[in-house]
Amino acid sequence: MTGYPWQPGAATGIGSLPGTDLGEALRIVFGELPLPYLPELPARGPGADLVGRTAGLLVDFPVQLYAGRWQVADRAGRDLRRTADLRERDLDALTDHADGYAGPLKVSAAGPWTLAAALQLPLGGPLLGDPGAVRELTESLAEGLSLHVREVARRVPGARVLLQLDEPSLPAVLAGRVPTESGLRTLRSVADPVARDRLRLLVESVGVPVVVHCCAQDVPVALLHEAGAAGVALDLSLGPALDPLGEALDAGLGLFAGAFPAVGPPPPAATVAATVTDLWYKIGLPADRLAAQVVVTPSCGQAGATPTDARAALRTCREAARRILDA
């Protein structure tokens, strides 16, 4: 064992896969990856998308679909019933496919800032514009995710559950780039300490290691490390700032290295391994920490990939991670 909640030479996917057959998706991730995960299949429609799926986990915080967007509601309705039904079927399928499994298992959900930027208030505009509502949302999400990870652990007793928080909107939230309902203005930026403290509340509440994924530019790596994240998942092609990344990695933060595009045929495993290794050496970290601290992944979710390319990409991640471990 290492000090990380995954084994050396680990590889995984970011979350979404193409298609609507969860059984087949689970066969792929458990067959190809040393760090399997509960896949997301957004092609199944509302309630399977990132925002709807996560909003369905909220406790005493109902939402509904209105004009194609998720909106805060007065009471739970059919949209949340559909979301709950999809989640239950997913957990049933996971229970069957992970029978007897022992090892790390990743589940994912939208983080509080991305969810706040996406959910709409009843009178219009992102919930992000109401600090009080953001606080309530974060507390509700923390409770809901705690229940969710405990349920996964109950259904797969041999699993060591990890939680991936998807925060693609976090850089825009911090920079004041989230548009208002009209699109003519943007919402006021959220201060770093406020963003950090809301994330820390969630990280400390769920009771399992948390990895924060952000496939945007200007990922606030130091903020995520200070919030208690066990790891950060980045798209390496976006050129993450090496100094803050290096400082956080040197202090022990895990890196889920998005080393190649999520859509299209993957490059050779040797090329992927070299991309990860080159970054590590450019930062100047000890070579003997690389295989333990880094998990190889595609750059983002693979909902837009073909089934053949998606499977090949996960196999490439596994083979690249093995090359790094054996080097």
Side-chain angles (χ1 to χ4, degrees), residues 39-293:
E40 307 151 25
L41 303 180
R44 293 182 296 177
D49 59 295
L50 175 64
V51 174
R53 182 169 43 79
T54 305
L57 295 169
L58 296 172
V59 176
D60 297 327
F61 203 105
V63 298
Q64 64 184 3
L65 271 175
Y66 180 77
R69 305 185 72 177
W70 289 98
Q71 178 191 70
V72 178
D74 292 330
R75 63 184 65 86
R78 63 180 182 181
D79 297 321
L80 280 182
R81 287 194 294 271
R82 170 180 166 78
T83 300
D85 179 63
L86 284 170
R87 182 172 66 253
E88 188 67 20
R89 282 189 275 162
D90 287 357
L91 291 174
D92 287 345
L94 175 66
T95 303
D96 291 340
H97 284 270
D99 184 32
Y101 173 76
L105 174 63
K106 182 165 66 72
V107 297
S108 58
W113 294 109
T114 292
L115 197 59
L119 286 178
Q120 301 295 298
L121 293 168
L123 297 179
L127 183 145
L128 180 65
D130 183 337
V134 172
R135 182 172 56 254
E136 293 176 11
L137 174 74
T138 305
E139 293 169 353
S140 174
L141 181 60
E143 184 177 354
L145 285 174
S146 298
L147 294 170
H148 182 54
V149 298
R150 288 203 296 269
E151 177 66 9
V152 171
R154 184 187 70 81
R155 287 171 174 261
V156 190
R160 301 190 304 275
V161 180
L162 288 75
L163 173 63
Q164 174 184 304
L165 288 179
D166 292 305
E167 282 284 18
S169 298
L170 180 57
V173 168
L174 296 173
R177 298 196 303 264
V178 176
T180 60
E181 184 179 25
S182 68
L184 300 177
R185 298 185 298 108
T186 57
L187 296 177
R188 180 179 301 176
S189 62
V190 172
D192 283 11
V194 174
R196 180 196 61 217
D197 291 349
R198 294 283 178 268
L199 285 165
R200 181 186 290 136
L201 168 68
L202 198 151
V203 169
E204 292 176 349
S205 296
V206 295
V208 298
V210 174
V211 174
V212 180
H213 167 241
C214 183
C215 53
Q217 290 185 318
D218 303 321
V219 179
V221 173
L223 183 153
L224 298 176
H225 188 214
E226 292 167 1
V232 59
L234 307 176
D235 179 351
L236 299 189
S237 72
L238 297 179
L242 295 185
D243 286 346
L245 179 59
E247 291 175 6
L249 295 179
D250 188 48
L253 186 71
L255 175 63
F256 282 48
F260 61 95
V263 177
T271 301
V272 174
T275 297
V276 176
T277 302
D278 289 350
L279 173 71
W280 194 258
Y281 291 153
K282 187 180 295 184
I283 291 173
L285 294 171
D288 60 0
R289 291 172 52 180
L290 172 57
Q293 198 164 344

Side-chain angles (χ1 to χ4, degrees), residues 13-18 37 260 262-263 298 300-306 309-311 313-314:
I14 289 299
S16 62
L17 288 173
Y37 59 97
F260 61 95
V263 177
C300 202
Q302 297 172 273
T306 67
D309 287 346
R311 182 191 288 268
L314 298 184

